[in-house]
Amino acid sequence: MYHIGDQVVVEPTALVAGGAALARVDGFPIFAVNVFPGDIARVELVEVKKGFARADLVELITPSPWRRAAPCPIASECGGCDWTALRLDKQLEAKRGILFESLRRIGKIHDAPEITLHPSALNYRLRSRLHRDGDAIGFYAMRSNRVVPLAEECEVVGVNTAHVIPSVARDLGGRGNASQPHPPRSLADAREDIWEIDGRVITEGELSIAGYRLNTDAFFQVNRHLLQTMLQLVQTHASDVRSKKTAIDLYAGVGFFSAPLARMFERVIAVEGSPVSARYARVNLPANAKVIEAPVERHIAKLPPAEFVFLDPPRAGTRPEVIRAIAERTKEKIAYLSCDPVTFARDASRLIASGWRLSTLDLLDLFPNTHHVETLSSFERAQT
């Protein structure tokens, strides 16, 4: 029997949902971070359960050919990007495997369509949620609330954010000159969303991104490089619908997807629970789009039938009653943007059980250098 603090040598065989590498020692599964398939590594157990253990890297004995030279000096401890040491092509390969395995194991879906991959350039974040502890400003460490100071070599945040924030931290600590003489007011807080729009680093106020108006309290898609790709894919799915009478956008945010749908359909209904995002959706959308400020789960029973339904729920996915309503009231096509492969597999299984067929899968790499998997799928009514 293993105990917390034990050290073992592992040879991982796969990366799994959540980002850890799976290894088996005498048949016992160990999920380790900062190691990858092909590594031979010594790890220390930090959590031991009856059926598995979790571990941290202690020593890399033999590096995997999947690895690359980590460009960031804090890559092994920063929680902002847990896969930085993994080659970008292998990141995509691993994410595709995680999605297929989630569909097979969680959703019991064994005939999923081929996955189309959409890679992203680096320094992709429009918005970065950073934390401050004293003069340290950065992401939390892995599985910790300790703040790891952001490095200028960071490949996740915007290029200028990576330069400005470390200089602000140096100012706060009195350790030299900085390119920005005074930190943004809100960086005095313990947590702050830092936006970088067209090279400008912004912490509060109104923004304009790709023609959409919002403020720093509203939700917007994070990856600057794949905004148009996402819009084009959703428009392609919507264009397949024969009748263009009604489209519904659930978890609509500031209307990012509702706006192009409003150009294609006679009527669009956008449902958004956040008052801030709903307010900006009304600003961004034309007269044929109706914005309903309400939680989707509370309003779903009141929605009319629609030819096309698009949903972009949070990481937890959506509730069974939402799936039932969508399955019953959608006439032609459903498109689902998911940020978690496990909850997506669960929801996809429920749609299939309700008479729908999973017809397309696009994996959008919205978060390179991390384990996060974003999936855009489409469903059509199954042939009876």
Side-chain angles (χ1 to χ4, degrees):
M1 178 64 182
Y2 291 109
H3 301 88
I4 292 175
D6 287 350
Q7 293 190 4
V8 294
V9 174
V10 297
E11 298 183 36
T13 56
L15 289 161
V16 300
L22 170 63
R24 295 183 185 275
V25 179
D26 297 328
F28 186 75
I30 296 175
F31 298 94
V33 296
N34 282 327
V35 294
F36 304 108
D39 282 340
I40 301 175
R42 185 179 307 280
V43 300
E44 181 174 317
L45 305 186
V46 296
E47 180 183 0
V48 178
K49 300 290 187 180
K50 183 177 180 180
F52 69 93
R54 300 190 187 279
D56 287 341
L57 175 66
V58 173
E59 177 190 4
L60 184 60
I61 299 170
T62 303
S64 167
W66 285 30
R67 286 183 173 268
R68 64 171 179 149
C72 178
I74 60 171
S76 63
E77 59 176 331
C78 179
C81 43
D82 54 345
W83 281 9
T84 297
L86 187 62
R87 282 168 32 195
L88 294 173
D89 61 322
K90 292 301 183 181
Q91 291 182 29
L92 279 170
E93 182 180 320
K95 290 178 183 185
R96 174 160 40 193
I98 288 169
L99 178 55
F100 265 133
E101 181 64 12
S102 297
L103 290 170
R104 184 192 67 81
R105 185 173 59 86
I106 304 297
K108 310 303 180 188
I109 300 170
H110 301 283
D111 57 349
E114 285 298 313
I115 298 172
T116 302
L117 301 177
H118 301 272
S120 168
L122 297 171
N123 296 108
Y124 53 87
R125 277 190 170 273
L126 284 165
R127 182 188 73 251
S128 303
R129 175 154 291 178
L130 302 180
H131 304 268
R132 180 184 170 197
D133 183 9
D135 61 352
I137 301 172
F139 293 106
Y140 281 142
M142 295 182 187
R143 298 203 304 269
S144 168
N145 288 335
R146 178 175 61 86
V147 176
V148 180
L150 192 70
E152 293 187 15
E153 298 89 342
C154 182
E155 294 182 333
V156 171
V157 302
V159 172
N160 287 343
T161 302
H163 290 301
V164 167
I165 296 303
S167 69
V168 168
R170 286 195 296 270
D171 267 3
L172 290 172
R175 293 194 296 270
N177 296 324
S179 60
Q180 184 162 317
H182 300 289
R185 179 186 62 79
S186 52
L187 278 180
D189 300 334
R191 185 185 76 184
E192 185 59 42
D193 285 348
I194 311 299
W195 297 72
E196 184 176 323
I197 314 298
D198 298 327
R200 295 179 300 119
V201 177
I202 303 166
T203 60
E204 57 187 348
E206 288 211 334
L207 311 170
S208 178
I209 305 174
Y212 294 85
R213 288 180 58 191
L214 63 150
N215 71 11
T216 51
D217 293 325
F219 172 80
F220 199 77
Q221 299 295 332
V222 167
N223 187 303
R224 71 181 73 247
H225 304 304
L226 292 181
L227 294 178
Q228 291 305 313
T229 299
M230 287 189 283
L231 288 177
Q232 289 166 5
L233 288 170
V234 172
Q235 288 177 88
T236 297
H237 291 314
S239 68
D240 292 337
V241 174
R242 294 183 299 275
S243 174
K244 300 294 195 299
K245 291 183 178 179
T246 302
I248 293 176
D249 182 1
L250 302 177
Y251 312 94
V254 299
F256 181 67
F257 294 103
S258 302
L261 292 177
R263 294 191 290 269
M264 303 174 69
F265 288 81
E266 295 176 16
R267 176 176 68 154
V268 169
I269 300 172
V271 184
E272 171 55 43
S274 162
V276 173
S277 293
R279 183 172 77 247
Y280 280 99
R282 293 188 180 97
V283 172
N284 291 321
L285 298 180
N288 67 324
K290 179 181 180 181
V291 178
I292 297 172
E293 181 190 319
V296 168
E297 296 77 11
R298 189 178 303 167
H299 194 79
I300 191 69
K302 302 176 183 178
L303 289 174
E307 283 72 28
F308 179 75
V309 171
F310 172 79
L311 65 158
D312 179 12
R315 196 170 303 281
T318 195
R319 293 184 183 175
E321 62 267 28
V322 175
I323 293 292
R324 284 195 298 270
I326 292 171
E328 291 171 1
R329 297 176 193 174
T330 306
K331 296 180 180 179
E332 295 191 42
K333 198 165 191 178
I334 299 166
Y336 186 141
L337 183 61
S338 164
C339 56
D340 185 275
V342 172
T343 57
F344 167 67
R346 178 202 66 199
D347 290 348
S349 177
R350 290 171 176 168
L351 281 170
I352 291 170
S354 299
W356 290 80
R357 177 178 64 87
L358 177 58
S359 55
T360 64
L361 282 171
D362 287 89
L363 193 157
L364 295 142
D365 196 17
L366 297 190
F367 300 95
N369 284 353
T370 80
H371 67 271
H372 295 295
V373 179
E374 196 94 6
T375 306
L376 178 63
S377 59
S378 68
F379 295 81
E380 299 174 345
R381 287 202 175 273
Q383 299 296 322
T384 57

